Amino acid sequence: MADDDADDGVERAGGIEVRPMSGHTGAEIGGVELAKPLDDAAAAAIRSALLRWKVVFFRGQHLDHDGHLAVARRFGEPIALPRRGGYSPAEHPEIETTADRLELGGRFGMDRAEWLDRRRHTLLRGWHCDHGARIDPPAATILRAETVPPYGGDTCWSNLAAAYAGLSEPLRHFVDGLRAEHRQGVGYEPRPGEDAYVRHLLEHQTASHHPLVRVHPESGERLLFVNGYYVQRILGLTQAESAPLLELLVEQAVRPEYTVRFRWRPGDVAFWDNRATVHLAPSDTGRLDHPRIMHRVMLAGEVPVGVDGTPSEPVTGTEAGRW
Ligand SMILES: [Fe+2]
């Protein structure tokens, strides 16, 4: 059977090679140079692999900012961000440099340890989709590695379609009709006295009511729309009912069989469907002296729709399309 290509799971289409990395999630794409214009067949094959595997990886591409944006524009509309930190390139408002994340605590008067400590109220807190409290969370994120540590700093993704499908039928039926409040700053423990971050949260409140099960606008798949970061509570349930059910659903969403873990090398690119996945930013680099510099471009998304066809509703600070 060694000669039979069908058995290694690798698929070839549009001149590219798609190599699955786990049973449900992640595929490495070969045979493509992202710095060159993508022809229609290759772009269609990449989109199809993204829909199937939820996150796709391209090794050793070494894109510059313009090249990164050109790839993003091939698959959607890059979001220009009104607020970024000092490390992001001033001339490219669509690119956010992750070294900014390290600045974040400092902006609100905290060192990194305190910043993380005040924001971690559950064990699965780090798992999130990007900007999930918005009424229209980004459709996708394209992240490229410039400098990575020699070890540590991996990123994990989990497949929310597989997680939904893995629930028992009665529980799927139960959660199909529920909605949840997603809010920025959930679980943050304020500092005593004046707290600059609380002031920031109040001035930039973002909250939406999203379906607990979202229908993917392209594939039609049902997605378990939960994470450990933004979800405040399930609507219509008491807190005593909501908290343990949310815990169960988030645990389900990130079970190891639905995840993939990526070991970054400089020049690598990860492209994920931000509707169909949650991801875990690495937290094992805090005591390493090695820099980790990544650049991120997000693609504009749409208002989520539930199983019954009802769209999400804005609560505050979440006018669709406005950042
Ligand atoms: Fe993220």
Side-chain angles (χ1 to χ4, degrees):
M1 301 292 278
D3 299 318
D4 187 348
D5 281 349
D7 279 342
D8 61 9
V10 177
E11 289 180 4
R12 294 169 182 85
I16 68 165
E17 187 183 279
V18 178
R19 184 176 295 274
M21 293 165 65
S22 76
H24 293 291
T25 314
E28 193 170 316
I29 295 197
V32 62
E33 246 185 281
L34 293 179
K36 296 182 178 167
L38 282 172
D39 64 42
D40 288 347
I46 291 168
R47 180 170 285 283
S48 156
L50 180 68
L51 286 174
R52 168 70 181 85
W53 296 105
K54 317 307 184 198
V55 51
V56 292
F57 304 99
F58 305 83
R59 290 285 190 188
Q61 299 291 324
H62 298 283
L63 295 170
D64 58 15
H65 291 329
D66 286 324
H68 191 167
L69 274 172
V71 171
R73 288 196 186 99
R74 201 71 176 84
F75 294 98
E77 181 198 337
I79 295 164
L81 297 161
R83 289 186 302 277
R84 296 173 302 154
Y87 290 97
S88 295
E91 69 282 13
H92 293 95
E94 305 93 343
I95 294 179
E96 194 173 27
T97 299
T98 57
D100 288 343
R101 318 306 302 174
L102 301 176
E103 277 186 334
L104 261 179
R107 264 166 54 194
F108 301 111
M110 288 173 259
D111 66 23
R112 185 160 164 76
E114 181 182 1
W115 170 248
L116 292 177
D117 198 42
R118 288 195 178 281
R119 307 175 87 241
R120 287 221 172 109
H121 69 306
T122 67
L123 288 173
L124 299 175
R125 170 161 185 103
W127 287 97
H128 68 284
C129 60
D130 289 332
H131 292 274
R134 289 182 53 84
I135 187 66
D136 57 351
T141 299
I142 302 172
L143 186 65
R144 82 178 208 265
E146 180 182 311
T147 306
V148 300
Y151 60 95
D154 299 358
T155 305
C156 300
W157 287 262
S158 196
N159 178 335
L160 299 177
Y164 174 81
L167 290 171
S168 66
E169 196 280 331
L171 194 52
R172 284 201 305 269
H173 185 71
F174 178 59
V175 296
D176 275 350
L178 294 174
R179 299 168 79 77
E181 180 164 312
H182 296 231
R183 178 175 286 277
Q184 184 142 29
V186 169
Y188 175 72
E189 183 194 339
R191 309 183 93 195
E194 174 67 13
D195 184 323
Y197 185 58
V198 168
R199 202 168 58 233
H200 170 84
L201 284 175
L202 289 172
E203 285 167 4
H204 301 96
Q205 276 192 65
T206 305
S208 303
H209 288 169
H210 289 312
L212 206 51
V213 179
R214 173 181 185 180
V215 178
H216 194 287
E218 290 175 76
S219 70
E221 284 177 302
R222 293 183 183 187
L223 311 162
L224 188 56
F225 190 4
V226 295
N227 57 69
Y229 198 87
Y230 292 112
V231 187
Q232 167 97 332
R233 66 192 175 97
I234 299 172
L235 298 171
L237 271 55
T238 65
Q239 275 292 9
E241 294 165 340
S242 169
L245 180 57
L246 263 179
E247 193 177 312
L248 181 153
L249 294 174
V250 177
E251 271 182 28
Q252 167 71 9
V254 302
R255 286 177 64 93
E257 60 264 41
Y258 307 130
T259 67
V260 69
R261 179 172 183 141
F262 188 62
R263 173 88 202 95
W264 292 97
R265 294 196 291 253
D268 291 348
V269 172
F271 180 5
W272 67 89
D273 185 332
N274 193 51
R275 307 166 290 201
T277 55
V278 283
H279 55 282
L280 183 67
S283 61
D284 61 344
T285 54
R287 290 168 65 187
L288 299 175
D289 282 337
H290 305 286
R292 182 179 184 274
I293 299 171
M294 320 284 281
H295 305 285
R296 169 173 92 163
V297 175
M298 296 178 295
L299 302 181
E302 60 290 295
V303 176
V305 170
V307 172
D308 64 356
T310 309
S312 301
E313 285 174 18
V315 175
T316 182
T318 56
E319 192 181 328
R322 260 193 67 186
W323 282 73

